[in-house]
Amino acid sequence: MSATLARILRDLPDGSGAALLGGDPVRCARLLGVDGIAVSLGTDGALTELVWSTPGQSAALEDLQCTLGEGPGFDAYRHRTLIAIPDLQQAATHRWPAFLPEAGELGLGALFCFPLHLGAVSLGVLTVQRTNPSTLDPVQTNDALILAAAMTAALIRDSGQRASFARAEPHTSLHRAAVHQATGMISVQANVSLTEAMALLRAHAYRTERPLFTAAEDVVSRRLHFRDNRDGTATPSGNKD
């Protein structure tokens, strides 16, 4: 293990308050020889919370998968297995039909998604990406596996910290908190299950070409509702329940 990786691992459990993971994602990306890195946590079979990422395309990638409800990160999370795509242009189009064209628009060339799991318990995914198609060499892959295992251990050990993060205010890095609230509101407005409500929200976000959490914020602030129209109806004033 390199001295840099050892320092990164020591930093991981040290986050507090709204910072669920410590350490420097930019330094992690540099260590792994990639252009971006991100960690998203999941619930109920879907990745829902971006908690740690480098600036740039990594956050956009996680938002894209959350909006579409598909992508290699989702598969890694659900099946608890590494998903490696050294060349996105060569990936089978039927596997992620909506995701792949959008990922190409983001300028992504390669993705590697490492599940954060312990046995059958899946917590989330560590995703690293490159602009150009390429593979991770054995040392880089091993370092990423070590990092994923350490993150999993930190998340499990610091359960109180996870609870604190879940209660964080909207201005913290929990920027998708509105998605959960909006899903509940849509469920009531459209008289559908929570699963169907999430599908309606995702469809609206995709159709209007906006991030999922932006559409959710409109629902929460009463600028968008689904009472009479399952495609969503915009309201100029926020006076409707």
Side-chain angles (χ1 to χ4, degrees), residues 63-112:
D63 285 337
L64 175 62
Q65 292 191 96
C66 189
T67 299
L68 298 177
E70 71 172 47
F74 270 62
D75 284 5
Y77 171 67
R78 290 167 177 161
H79 302 299
R80 302 184 299 280
T81 188
L82 168 62
I83 304 293
I85 313 171
D87 188 346
L88 278 169
Q89 291 189 349
Q90 299 301 317
T93 55
H94 68 272
R95 193 170 185 182
W96 305 294
F99 170 80
L100 287 173
E102 298 290 338
E105 290 294 319
L106 287 178
L108 301 177
L111 289 177
F112 306 89

Short mmCIF file of all heavy atoms in Angstrom, two decimals, residues 63-112:
data_model
loop_
_atom_site.label_atom_id
_atom_site.label_comp_id
_atom_site.label_asym_id
_atom_site.label_seq_id
_atom_site.Cartn_x
_atom_site.Cartn_y
_atom_site.Cartn_z
N ASP A 63 -26.02 12.35 -11.02
CA ASP A 63 -27.35 12.91 -11.22
C ASP A 63 -28.04 12.27 -12.42
O ASP A 63 -29.26 12.02 -12.39
CB ASP A 63 -27.26 14.43 -11.44
CG ASP A 63 -26.98 15.18 -10.15
OD1 ASP A 63 -27.29 14.65 -9.07
OD2 ASP A 63 -26.45 16.30 -10.23
N LEU A 64 -27.28 12.00 -13.47
CA LEU A 64 -27.84 11.37 -14.66
C LEU A 64 -28.40 10.00 -14.33
O LEU A 64 -29.54 9.67 -14.70
CB LEU A 64 -26.77 11.27 -15.75
CG LEU A 64 -27.17 10.52 -17.01
CD1 LEU A 64 -28.31 11.23 -17.72
CD2 LEU A 64 -25.97 10.37 -17.95
N GLN A 65 -27.63 9.19 -13.62
CA GLN A 65 -28.11 7.85 -13.27
C GLN A 65 -29.34 7.92 -12.37
O GLN A 65 -30.29 7.14 -12.52
CB GLN A 65 -27.00 7.05 -12.58
CG GLN A 65 -25.84 6.70 -13.49
CD GLN A 65 -24.90 5.71 -12.88
OE1 GLN A 65 -24.99 4.51 -13.12
NE2 GLN A 65 -23.98 6.20 -12.05
N CYS A 66 -29.32 8.87 -11.42
CA CYS A 66 -30.46 9.02 -10.52
C CYS A 66 -31.71 9.44 -11.29
O CYS A 66 -32.82 8.97 -11.02
CB CYS A 66 -30.13 10.03 -9.43
SG CYS A 66 -31.35 10.13 -8.10
N THR A 67 -31.54 10.34 -12.26
CA THR A 67 -32.67 10.80 -13.06
C THR A 67 -33.26 9.69 -13.90
O THR A 67 -34.48 9.50 -13.96
CB THR A 67 -32.24 11.96 -13.98
OG1 THR A 67 -31.79 13.06 -13.16
CG2 THR A 67 -33.38 12.44 -14.86
N LEU A 68 -32.40 8.91 -14.55
CA LEU A 68 -32.85 7.86 -15.46
C LEU A 68 -33.26 6.59 -14.74
O LEU A 68 -34.06 5.80 -15.25
CB LEU A 68 -31.74 7.53 -16.47
CG LEU A 68 -31.30 8.67 -17.40
CD1 LEU A 68 -30.15 8.21 -18.27
CD2 LEU A 68 -32.47 9.15 -18.24
N GLY A 69 -32.69 6.36 -13.55
CA GLY A 69 -32.98 5.11 -12.85
C GLY A 69 -32.28 3.92 -13.47
O GLY A 69 -32.70 2.77 -13.26
N GLU A 70 -31.22 4.17 -14.22
CA GLU A 70 -30.45 3.08 -14.82
C GLU A 70 -29.01 3.53 -15.01
O GLU A 70 -28.70 4.72 -14.97
CB GLU A 70 -31.03 2.65 -16.17
CG GLU A 70 -30.84 3.67 -17.29
CD GLU A 70 -31.24 3.14 -18.65
OE1 GLU A 70 -32.33 2.54 -18.75
OE2 GLU A 70 -30.48 3.34 -19.62
N GLY A 71 -28.14 2.56 -15.21
CA GLY A 71 -26.73 2.85 -15.43
C GLY A 71 -25.86 1.82 -14.73
O GLY A 71 -26.35 1.01 -13.93
N PRO A 72 -24.58 1.81 -15.01
CA PRO A 72 -23.68 0.82 -14.42
C PRO A 72 -23.61 0.93 -12.89
O PRO A 72 -23.44 -0.09 -12.21
CB PRO A 72 -22.33 1.13 -15.06
CG PRO A 72 -22.45 2.52 -15.59
CD PRO A 72 -23.88 2.70 -15.96
N GLY A 73 -23.74 2.14 -12.34
CA GLY A 73 -23.73 2.28 -10.89
C GLY A 73 -24.91 1.56 -10.25
O GLY A 73 -24.77 0.92 -9.21
N PHE A 74 -26.08 1.66 -10.89
CA PHE A 74 -27.26 0.98 -10.37
C PHE A 74 -27.05 -0.53 -10.38
O PHE A 74 -27.42 -1.23 -9.43
CB PHE A 74 -28.49 1.34 -11.22
CG PHE A 74 -29.23 2.55 -10.72
CD1 PHE A 74 -28.60 3.79 -10.67
CD2 PHE A 74 -30.53 2.46 -10.29
CE1 PHE A 74 -29.26 4.91 -10.21
CE2 PHE A 74 -31.21 3.57 -9.82
CZ PHE A 74 -30.57 4.81 -9.78
N ASP A 75 -26.47 -1.04 -11.47
CA ASP A 75 -26.24 -2.49 -11.56
C ASP A 75 -25.23 -2.95 -10.52
O ASP A 75 -25.39 -4.00 -9.90
CB ASP A 75 -25.75 -2.86 -12.97
CG ASP A 75 -26.88 -2.87 -13.98
OD1 ASP A 75 -28.01 -2.48 -13.61
OD2 ASP A 75 -26.64 -3.23 -15.15
N ALA A 76 -24.16 -2.16 -10.32
CA ALA A 76 -23.17 -2.52 -9.31
C ALA A 76 -23.80 -2.55 -7.93
O ALA A 76 -23.50 -3.42 -7.11
CB ALA A 76 -22.01 -1.52 -9.35
N TYR A 77 -24.67 -1.58 -7.65
CA TYR A 77 -25.34 -1.51 -6.35
C TYR A 77 -26.31 -2.68 -6.15
O TYR A 77 -26.32 -3.33 -5.11
CB TYR A 77 -26.08 -0.18 -6.25
CG TYR A 77 -26.99 -0.06 -5.06
CD1 TYR A 77 -26.50 -0.01 -3.76
CD2 TYR A 77 -28.38 0.02 -5.24
CE1 TYR A 77 -27.35 0.10 -2.68
CE2 TYR A 77 -29.23 0.14 -4.15
CZ TYR A 77 -28.71 0.17 -2.87
OH TYR A 77 -29.56 0.29 -1.80
N ARG A 78 -27.13 -2.94 -7.15
CA ARG A 78 -28.16 -3.97 -7.02
C ARG A 78 -27.59 -5.37 -6.99
O ARG A 78 -28.07 -6.24 -6.25
CB ARG A 78 -29.16 -3.84 -8.17
CG ARG A 78 -30.04 -2.60 -8.09
CD ARG A 78 -30.76 -2.35 -9.39
NE ARG A 78 -31.66 -1.20 -9.31
CZ ARG A 78 -32.13 -0.53 -10.35
NH1 ARG A 78 -31.77 -0.91 -11.58
NH2 ARG A 78 -32.92 0.50 -10.19
N HIS A 79 -26.55 -5.62 -7.79
CA HIS A 79 -26.00 -6.97 -7.90
C HIS A 79 -24.74 -7.17 -7.06
O HIS A 79 -24.18 -8.27 -7.02
CB HIS A 79 -25.72 -7.30 -9.36
CG HIS A 79 -26.92 -7.19 -10.25
ND1 HIS A 79 -28.05 -7.97 -10.07
CD2 HIS A 79 -27.19 -6.39 -11.30
CE1 HIS A 79 -28.95 -7.66 -10.99
NE2 HIS A 79 -28.45 -6.69 -11.75
N ARG A 80 -24.27 -6.09 -6.41
CA ARG A 80 -23.11 -6.15 -5.51
C ARG A 80 -21.90 -6.75 -6.24
O ARG A 80 -21.23 -7.65 -5.75
CB ARG A 80 -23.44 -6.96 -4.25
CG ARG A 80 -24.62 -6.40 -3.48
CD ARG A 80 -24.88 -7.15 -2.18
NE ARG A 80 -25.19 -8.54 -2.41
CZ ARG A 80 -26.38 -8.99 -2.77
NH1 ARG A 80 -27.40 -8.15 -2.95
NH2 ARG A 80 -26.58 -10.28 -2.95
N THR A 81 -21.64 -6.20 -7.43
CA THR A 81 -20.52 -6.69 -8.23
C THR A 81 -19.87 -5.53 -8.97
O THR A 81 -20.54 -4.52 -9.28
CB THR A 81 -20.99 -7.76 -9.23
OG1 THR A 81 -19.86 -8.34 -9.87
CG2 THR A 81 -21.89 -7.17 -10.30
N LEU A 82 -18.58 -5.65 -9.24
CA LEU A 82 -17.86 -4.63 -9.99
C LEU A 82 -18.37 -4.59 -11.43
O LEU A 82 -18.47 -5.61 -12.09
CB LEU A 82 -16.36 -4.94 -9.96
CG LEU A 82 -15.47 -4.16 -10.93
CD1 LEU A 82 -15.50 -2.67 -10.61
CD2 LEU A 82 -14.04 -4.69 -10.87
N ILE A 83 -18.69 -3.40 -11.89
CA ILE A 83 -19.06 -3.17 -13.29
C ILE A 83 -17.96 -2.33 -13.92
O ILE A 83 -17.74 -1.18 -13.54
CB ILE A 83 -20.40 -2.45 -13.42
CG1 ILE A 83 -21.52 -3.21 -12.70
CG2 ILE A 83 -20.75 -2.24 -14.90
CD1 ILE A 83 -21.86 -4.54 -13.32
N ALA A 84 -17.24 -2.91 -14.87
CA ALA A 84 -16.13 -2.23 -15.53
C ALA A 84 -16.47 -2.03 -17.00
O ALA A 84 -16.77 -3.00 -17.72
CB ALA A 84 -14.85 -3.04 -15.39
N ILE A 85 -16.42 -0.79 -17.46
CA ILE A 85 -16.69 -0.47 -18.87
C ILE A 85 -15.52 0.37 -19.37
O ILE A 85 -15.52 1.61 -19.27
CB ILE A 85 -18.00 0.32 -19.02
CG1 ILE A 85 -19.12 -0.33 -18.22
CG2 ILE A 85 -18.40 0.40 -20.49
CD1 ILE A 85 -20.36 0.49 -18.15
N PRO A 86 -14.51 -0.27 -19.93
CA PRO A 86 -13.33 0.48 -20.39
C PRO A 86 -13.59 1.37 -21.60
O PRO A 86 -12.81 2.29 -21.86
CB PRO A 86 -12.32 -0.62 -20.70
CG PRO A 86 -13.13 -1.85 -20.91
CD PRO A 86 -14.34 -1.72 -20.06
N ASP A 87 -14.67 1.10 -22.34
CA ASP A 87 -15.00 1.92 -23.50
C ASP A 87 -16.52 2.01 -23.60
O ASP A 87 -17.19 1.06 -24.02
CB ASP A 87 -14.42 1.32 -24.77
CG ASP A 87 -14.58 2.23 -25.98
OD1 ASP A 87 -15.36 3.21 -25.90
OD2 ASP A 87 -13.93 1.98 -27.02
N LEU A 88 -17.08 3.15 -23.19
CA LEU A 88 -18.53 3.30 -23.18
C LEU A 88 -19.14 3.20 -24.58
O LEU A 88 -20.27 2.74 -24.74
CB LEU A 88 -18.91 4.64 -22.55
CG LEU A 88 -18.95 4.67 -21.02
CD1 LEU A 88 -19.07 6.10 -20.53
CD2 LEU A 88 -20.09 3.83 -20.49
N GLN A 89 -18.38 3.60 -25.60
CA GLN A 89 -18.91 3.54 -26.96
C GLN A 89 -19.08 2.11 -27.45
O GLN A 89 -19.84 1.85 -28.39
CB GLN A 89 -18.00 4.32 -27.91
CG GLN A 89 -18.02 5.82 -27.69
CD GLN A 89 -17.28 6.57 -28.77
OE1 GLN A 89 -16.58 5.99 -29.59
NE2 GLN A 89 -17.43 7.89 -28.78
N GLN A 90 -18.37 1.18 -26.80
CA GLN A 90 -18.47 -0.23 -27.20
C GLN A 90 -19.44 -1.01 -26.31
O GLN A 90 -19.63 -2.21 -26.52
CB GLN A 90 -17.08 -0.88 -27.12
CG GLN A 90 -16.05 -0.25 -28.04
CD GLN A 90 -16.47 -0.29 -29.50
OE1 GLN A 90 -16.98 -1.30 -29.99
NE2 GLN A 90 -16.25 0.82 -30.21
N ALA A 91 -20.06 -0.35 -25.32
CA ALA A 91 -21.00 -1.04 -24.42
C ALA A 91 -22.26 -1.42 -25.17
O ALA A 91 -22.69 -0.71 -26.10
CB ALA A 91 -21.33 -0.16 -23.22
N ALA A 92 -22.86 -2.54 -24.80
CA ALA A 92 -24.09 -3.01 -25.44
C ALA A 92 -25.22 -2.00 -25.20
O ALA A 92 -25.55 -1.70 -24.05
CB ALA A 92 -24.48 -4.37 -24.89
N THR A 93 -25.80 -1.49 -26.27
CA THR A 93 -26.80 -0.43 -26.14
C THR A 93 -28.07 -0.90 -25.43
O THR A 93 -28.75 -0.10 -24.80
CB THR A 93 -27.17 0.13 -27.52
OG1 THR A 93 -27.60 -0.95 -28.37
CG2 THR A 93 -25.98 0.82 -28.16
N HIS A 94 -28.38 -2.21 -25.52
CA HIS A 94 -29.61 -2.68 -24.89
C HIS A 94 -29.49 -2.73 -23.36
O HIS A 94 -30.50 -2.79 -22.66
CB HIS A 94 -29.95 -4.09 -25.39
CG HIS A 94 -28.98 -5.15 -24.94
ND1 HIS A 94 -27.83 -5.45 -25.65
CD2 HIS A 94 -28.98 -5.96 -23.85
CE1 HIS A 94 -27.17 -6.41 -25.01
NE2 HIS A 94 -27.84 -6.74 -23.92
N ARG A 95 -28.27 -2.67 -22.86
CA ARG A 95 -28.08 -2.79 -21.41
C ARG A 95 -28.54 -1.53 -20.68
O ARG A 95 -29.21 -1.61 -19.65
CB ARG A 95 -26.61 -3.07 -21.12
CG ARG A 95 -26.35 -3.51 -19.69
CD ARG A 95 -24.92 -4.00 -19.53
NE ARG A 95 -24.68 -4.53 -18.20
CZ ARG A 95 -23.50 -4.99 -17.79
NH1 ARG A 95 -22.47 -5.01 -18.63
NH2 ARG A 95 -23.36 -5.45 -16.56
N TRP A 96 -28.16 -0.36 -21.20
CA TRP A 96 -28.56 0.92 -20.62
C TRP A 96 -28.98 1.85 -21.75
O TRP A 96 -28.26 2.80 -22.08
CB TRP A 96 -27.42 1.53 -19.81
CG TRP A 96 -26.87 0.62 -18.75
CD1 TRP A 96 -27.52 0.17 -17.63
CD2 TRP A 96 -25.55 0.04 -18.70
NE1 TRP A 96 -26.70 -0.66 -16.89
CE2 TRP A 96 -25.48 -0.75 -17.52
CE3 TRP A 96 -24.43 0.12 -19.50
CZ2 TRP A 96 -24.33 -1.45 -17.15
CZ3 TRP A 96 -23.29 -0.58 -19.16
CH2 TRP A 96 -23.25 -1.35 -17.99
N PRO A 97 -30.12 1.61 -22.37
CA PRO A 97 -30.49 2.34 -23.59
C PRO A 97 -30.63 3.85 -23.40
O PRO A 97 -30.32 4.61 -24.32
CB PRO A 97 -31.82 1.71 -24.00
CG PRO A 97 -32.35 1.07 -22.74
CD PRO A 97 -31.15 0.62 -21.97
N ALA A 98 -31.10 4.27 -22.26
CA ALA A 98 -31.24 5.72 -22.03
C ALA A 98 -29.94 6.33 -21.52
O ALA A 98 -29.61 7.47 -21.86
CB ALA A 98 -32.38 5.98 -21.03
N PHE A 99 -29.20 5.57 -20.73
CA PHE A 99 -28.01 6.11 -20.08
C PHE A 99 -26.86 6.34 -21.05
O PHE A 99 -26.19 7.39 -20.99
CB PHE A 99 -27.56 5.17 -18.97
CG PHE A 99 -26.21 5.50 -18.40
CD1 PHE A 99 -26.07 6.51 -17.46
CD2 PHE A 99 -25.06 4.80 -18.80
CE1 PHE A 99 -24.82 6.84 -16.94
CE2 PHE A 99 -23.82 5.11 -18.28
CZ PHE A 99 -23.70 6.13 -17.35
N LEU A 100 -26.57 5.39 -21.92
CA LEU A 100 -25.36 5.46 -22.73
C LEU A 100 -25.28 6.70 -23.62
O LEU A 100 -24.23 7.35 -23.66
CB LEU A 100 -25.22 4.18 -23.56
CG LEU A 100 -24.81 2.93 -22.77
CD1 LEU A 100 -24.87 1.69 -23.64
CD2 LEU A 100 -23.41 3.10 -22.17
N PRO A 101 -26.35 7.07 -24.35
CA PRO A 101 -26.24 8.29 -25.16
C PRO A 101 -25.98 9.54 -24.31
O PRO A 101 -25.20 10.41 -24.70
CB PRO A 101 -27.59 8.37 -25.87
CG PRO A 101 -28.13 6.98 -25.84
CD PRO A 101 -27.65 6.39 -24.55
N GLU A 102 -26.63 9.61 -23.14
CA GLU A 102 -26.45 10.77 -22.27
C GLU A 102 -25.03 10.80 -21.69
O GLU A 102 -24.44 11.88 -21.53
CB GLU A 102 -27.49 10.75 -21.15
CG GLU A 102 -28.92 10.82 -21.62
CD GLU A 102 -29.28 12.18 -22.19
OE1 GLU A 102 -28.59 13.17 -21.85
OE2 GLU A 102 -30.23 12.26 -22.98
N ALA A 103 -24.49 9.63 -21.35
CA ALA A 103 -23.12 9.57 -20.83
C ALA A 103 -22.14 10.04 -21.89
O ALA A 103 -21.14 10.71 -21.59
CB ALA A 103 -22.79 8.15 -20.39
N GLY A 104 -22.42 9.70 -23.16
CA GLY A 104 -21.58 10.17 -24.24
C GLY A 104 -21.61 11.68 -24.36
O GLY A 104 -20.60 12.32 -24.64
N GLU A 105 -22.79 12.27 -24.14
CA GLU A 105 -22.92 13.72 -24.18
C GLU A 105 -22.11 14.39 -23.08
O GLU A 105 -21.64 15.52 -23.24
CB GLU A 105 -24.40 14.12 -24.06
CG GLU A 105 -25.25 13.79 -25.27
CD GLU A 105 -24.84 14.59 -26.50
OE1 GLU A 105 -24.54 15.80 -26.34
OE2 GLU A 105 -24.79 14.02 -27.59
N LEU A 106 -21.93 13.69 -21.96
CA LEU A 106 -21.12 14.23 -20.87
C LEU A 106 -19.63 14.13 -21.15
O LEU A 106 -18.81 14.68 -20.41
CB LEU A 106 -21.43 13.48 -19.56
CG LEU A 106 -22.77 13.75 -18.90
CD1 LEU A 106 -22.92 12.89 -17.65
CD2 LEU A 106 -22.92 15.23 -18.54
N GLY A 107 -19.28 13.42 -22.21
CA GLY A 107 -17.87 13.27 -22.57
C GLY A 107 -17.15 12.20 -21.78
O GLY A 107 -15.94 12.27 -21.60
N LEU A 108 -17.88 11.18 -21.33
CA LEU A 108 -17.28 10.10 -20.56
C LEU A 108 -16.81 8.99 -21.49
O LEU A 108 -17.51 8.61 -22.43
CB LEU A 108 -18.29 9.55 -19.56
CG LEU A 108 -18.85 10.56 -18.56
CD1 LEU A 108 -19.89 9.91 -17.67
CD2 LEU A 108 -17.74 11.17 -17.73
N GLY A 109 -15.62 8.45 -21.21
CA GLY A 109 -15.09 7.39 -22.04
C GLY A 109 -15.05 6.04 -21.36
O GLY A 109 -15.21 5.01 -22.02
N ALA A 110 -14.83 6.02 -20.03
CA ALA A 110 -14.71 4.75 -19.31
C ALA A 110 -15.27 4.92 -17.90
O ALA A 110 -15.11 5.98 -17.27
CB ALA A 110 -13.26 4.30 -19.24
N LEU A 111 -15.93 3.87 -17.39
CA LEU A 111 -16.51 3.89 -16.05
C LEU A 111 -16.19 2.59 -15.33
O LEU A 111 -16.20 1.50 -15.95
CB LEU A 111 -18.03 4.04 -16.12
CG LEU A 111 -18.62 5.38 -16.54
CD1 LEU A 111 -20.14 5.28 -16.59
CD2 LEU A 111 -18.20 6.46 -15.57
N PHE A 112 -15.94 2.70 -14.03
CA PHE A 112 -15.69 1.53 -13.19
C PHE A 112 -16.43 1.74 -11.88
O PHE A 112 -16.17 2.70 -11.16
CB PHE A 112 -14.19 1.36 -12.95
CG PHE A 112 -13.39 1.33 -14.23
CD1 PHE A 112 -12.91 2.50 -14.79
CD2 PHE A 112 -13.15 0.12 -14.87
CE1 PHE A 112 -12.19 2.48 -15.98
CE2 PHE A 112 -12.44 0.08 -16.06
CZ PHE A 112 -11.96 1.27 -16.62
#
